[in-house]
Amino acid sequence: MCLGIPGKVVEIRDDGPLRMARVDFGGVRKEACLAYLPEVQLGDYVIVHVGFAISQLDEEEAMKTLEILRMLDPEGMDMELGSMVEEAAPKAPRPPAAAEAAPAGPPPASGPA
Amino acid sequence: MLRVPGSTTDLLSLKARGADVRIVYSPLDAVRIAAANPDRQVVFFAIGFETTAPANAMAVWQAARLGLDNFTVLVSHVLVPPAMCAILESPTCQVQAFLAAGHVCAVMGWTEYEPIAARYHVPIVVTGFEPLDLLEGILMAIRQLESGRAEVENQYARAVKREGNLQAQKTVFRVFDIGDRKWRGIGMIPASGYHLRPEFARFDAEERFDVGTIHTSEHPACIAGQILQGTKTPLDCTAYGVLCSPQKPLGAPMVSSEGVCSAYHAAGRGLATPRAVPLFELTRSEP
Amino acid sequence: MSPDRRPMADPFAGPSAAPTEPFAAPDPAGSALPDPAGSALPNSAGSALPNPANLACPAPIPERARVLLGHGSGGQLSAALMREVIGPALAAATPGGPLNDAAVVEVAGQRLAFTTDSFVVSPLEFPGGDIGELAVNGTVNDLAMMGAQPLALSLAYVIEEGLPIEDLRRVTESVARAAGRAGVRIVTGDTKVVGRGAADGLFVNTAGIGLVAVGVSVGADRAAVGDAVILSGPIGLHGIAIMSIREGLDFEVEIASDTQPLNGLVAAIVAACPAVHVLRDPTRGGLASALNEIASASGLGIELREETIPIPGPVHAACEMLGLDPLHVANEGKLVAIVPASSAEAVLVAMRAVPEGVEAVEIGRVVADHPSMVTIRTIVGSQRIVDMLVGEQLPRIC
């Protein structure tokens, strides 16, 4: 319904009245308008929809979600988590404790039941 | 958008017949095209839910600031909460819980949903779009149902705040008013869409061009409206998979991959066919 | 959410019609939109817009009365055009049945593979290659997918008036380099020039002949239950490289087209497993369309495992951004080999020893279930149907 994808702000410039950014989406860079996120700084993660950043990602919350999901299946889920890890990983690497403490999930090949 | 069937044709077919139809990534790109081509009229299709409205509002704003007189928008913005209420008000309503679209809420927040959850006693979970977000959102909704709660919960906390994006809302309401909107296959829902405010009437394609009164008609076999309201599944539709397929969609839910009919077509056809079990047969266990 | 620190100017305060910018601008002089002139806008030359009143079209347009761009996309519309228009009209001249990308013709006891292909890529040069290299590799690969080694190619140009001579020189030099790499000679050709607007810079056609290795017989209908489906490397690079420079969508991505000749890789496969059943290069329409063609030609099902399919990070990201399925994105230097399961390991080893196949992997099996249908077991454990690309691959942004 509404594709919105997380990316990292790698360049900010004021272009006329609009604050614009180059946002890196895992190796793809595209221009996005920051008019609706005036506080955003270089290195922040934002969600971009039709060329506009509409939300800044909260890394702490992203990590919480990751941990909950990892507990469901600590091994098999990592690949699917790719883009979420991308959002949260750079400043907050995966805490090994969370994975170790998690109950053993089904083997990755079988996937979640 | 290009493939969505209209009453008689679609935009891709018009393009093949010579119309200049272009895809842009951002509405601002459409403004740029208009600015660079002052001798041509550029009409942008401003569609979408609340998520897209800030971008479209900014495009209109910029066109006004630049004084463009060759840029208009054809506005067909729809709003989520009134549609939820319309479904819940229906005597045939079978919906027990809602996953509220995360990016709509990224813009609008979820305060509008709180009275809905309370009034209709229905759980609402603001949910992200990764597959595992959806699983967690469903889990949260089921837990509410099992414990008899009906609250607004936020699964997508990494991207959504309760108040949403105030800056974006401000621009949206500078440019748009809320008004009635006709939904394809469902009908008129009061106060369920955005319209340009009178100050921006000159950017309204319906005003600029004499298009008369547009009546769209649906294919008689298409039951998209009932499917969208959750009272029927695509398997109840006589056209599904026969007259209607992703190659030749009759209604919007068959067009894009996340449309209900298209998703059924991708997941169910010929495989372990999901039986047409009405959702309401799921029993609600008491806490 | 941060407090609303930047007050909005009231756009309607003055008599002036134009509102001021919604946010306090660092540059108080109302300057232009970001990048108003610098951005590559589609050129405005040409006719005026059609009268919108005419577009309302009170009479229904006959379905499929005209060719859509999607008819050339390699997906279901292309197949329909072949099935409903070209096939029947050619029926009398094609006793061998439906036409494929390449054919095998018996000449004096030798089996010759024969193919022709036209190239209309725009722009002519793109990250990782150009139209000349693409034309040679495309035809070499069509021959290779018949299990043949290329012998000779033709080269024909349709040039639009005004093309810089230097561009033509560069493309032609690139043709020569690509032919050298594939070990094939260019033996004949043709040049035509058409008026401005009658072509888009340069169209290239190449035809080729090749010799099918003795004992090798490949065909999409030869897939058998239990066969291994092997992919030669990561998918989506060509399509995304082209899309990244397409007008209106342009984005920066550090990937290049994968255009390369596959005849060396095919030689390695055939040496390891002369009984190889199917060879197919997933070009337009992507991996999904190639596998669907195989499933439907063999009347069998194909079951893929999502986690085994190599999708480069930037391709994945670009597909997320544009709402595309990587399985539908074009490749120009990859192949799918369907081989008996007992030979799969030997074929993988042989492929990985060749530069074009170092990343070869098994991605699924041919199954008796769901005939003529391709399915994928997703990472979250669900199963879905992988359809052919329907028509033109359209970005879907909202």
Side-chain angles (χ1 to χ4, degrees), chain C residues 153-157 186-192 205-207:
Chain C
L153 301 190
S154 70
L155 174 70
Y157 288 153
I186 312 279
V187 295
T188 182
D190 181 49
T191 303
K192 295 280 188 297
N205 174 279
T206 44

Side-chain angles (χ1 to χ4, degrees), chain C residues 36-207:
Chain C
S39 64
L41 287 172
N43 78 61
S44 59
S47 59
L49 272 174
N51 179 353
N54 297 340
L55 297 185
C57 190
I61 293 178
E63 270 286 312
R64 310 287 175 238
R66 288 174 194 251
V67 172
L68 307 178
L69 265 180
H71 281 112
S73 65
Q76 295 180 22
L77 281 180
S78 305
L81 196 65
M82 200 63 216
R83 191 175 58 241
E84 292 160 17
V85 181
I86 299 175
L90 274 183
T94 55
L99 299 179
N100 291 313
D101 282 353
V104 173
V105 185
E106 289 239 3
V107 181
Q110 295 273 30
R111 288 186 305 153
L112 284 182
F114 178 43
T115 188
T116 183
D117 212 340
S118 298
F119 296 83
V120 295
V121 64
S122 172
L124 300 179
E125 291 169 290
F126 47 83
D130 64 20
I131 192 170
E133 187 180 356
L134 200 61
V136 170
N137 291 341
T139 293
V140 164
N141 292 347
D142 278 354
L143 295 171
M145 295 311 122
M146 303 306 289
Q149 286 304 313
L151 294 173
L153 301 190
S154 70
L155 174 70
Y157 288 153
V158 176
I159 306 168
E160 183 189 14
E161 173 188 23
L163 180 77
I165 295 284
E166 190 44 42
D167 290 5
L168 189 64
R169 195 192 318 275
R170 271 203 312 277
V171 165
T172 310
E173 284 167 0
S174 172
V175 164
R177 266 196 308 277
R181 178 173 173 191
V184 64
R185 293 173 301 148
I186 312 279
V187 295
T188 182
D190 181 49
T191 303
K192 295 280 188 297
V193 179
V194 297
R196 201 179 276 273
D200 187 6
L202 175 66
F203 296 155
V204 181
N205 174 279
T206 44

Side-chain angles (χ1 to χ4, degrees), chain C residues 271-290:
Chain C
C273 175
V276 53
H277 287 158
V278 187
L279 293 168
R280 191 54 74 104
D281 55 341
T283 55
R284 293 169 313 159
L287 183 62
S289 299

Side-chain angles (χ1 to χ4, degrees), chain A residues 1-2 4 17-18 30-31 35-36 38 47 49-52 54-55 57-58 61-62 68 77 80-81 83-84 87, chain B residues 25-27 32 49 51-52 54-55 58 62 65 101 103-104 130-132 136 156-159 165 167-168 171 258:
Chain A
M1 161 164 136
C2 300
L18 292 180
K30 181 85 188 158
E31 189 176 65
Y36 297 131
I47 288 188
H49 175 72
V50 297
F52 284 74
I54 54 169
S55 173
L57 279 168
D58 183 321
E61 289 293 343
I68 290 168
M77 292 284 179
E80 178 52 36
L81 290 174
S83 61
M84 287 165 56
E87 292 163 19
Chain B
Y25 179 72
S26 160
R32 284 181 197 148
F49 288 90
T51 325
T52 314
M58 183 63 83
Q62 292 300 324
R65 198 180 57 79
H103 294 150
V104 167
E130 296 292 329
L132 295 172
E136 196 190 9
Y156 202 26
R158 65 185 188 279
N165 185 328
Q167 196 78 263
T171 301
E258 84 285 13

Side-chain angles (χ1 to χ4, degrees), chain C residues 207-221:
Chain C
I209 52 170
L211 202 54
V212 182
V214 176
V216 171
S217 172
V218 294
D221 55 350

Side-chain angles (χ1 to χ4, degrees), chain B residues 97-165:
Chain B
F98 285 95
L99 302 187
H103 294 150
V104 167
C105 296
V107 171
M108 299 305 294
W110 69 75
T111 53
E112 297 171 281
Y113 297 82
E114 288 166 345
I116 298 177
R119 176 169 175 195
Y120 298 96
H121 197 75
V122 62
I124 300 174
V125 182
V126 178
T127 305
F129 291 83
E130 296 292 329
L132 295 172
D133 284 329
L134 287 165
L135 289 180
E136 196 190 9
I138 292 167
L139 179 65
M140 290 167 76
I142 289 173
R143 284 191 173 146
Q144 284 202 45
L145 288 171
E146 286 183 342
S147 60
R149 288 179 294 132
E151 302 160 6
V152 180
E153 286 183 298
N154 184 17
Q155 181 276 334
Y156 202 26
R158 65 185 188 279
V160 177
K161 305 272 181 288
R162 181 168 181 272
E163 70 276 16
N165 185 328

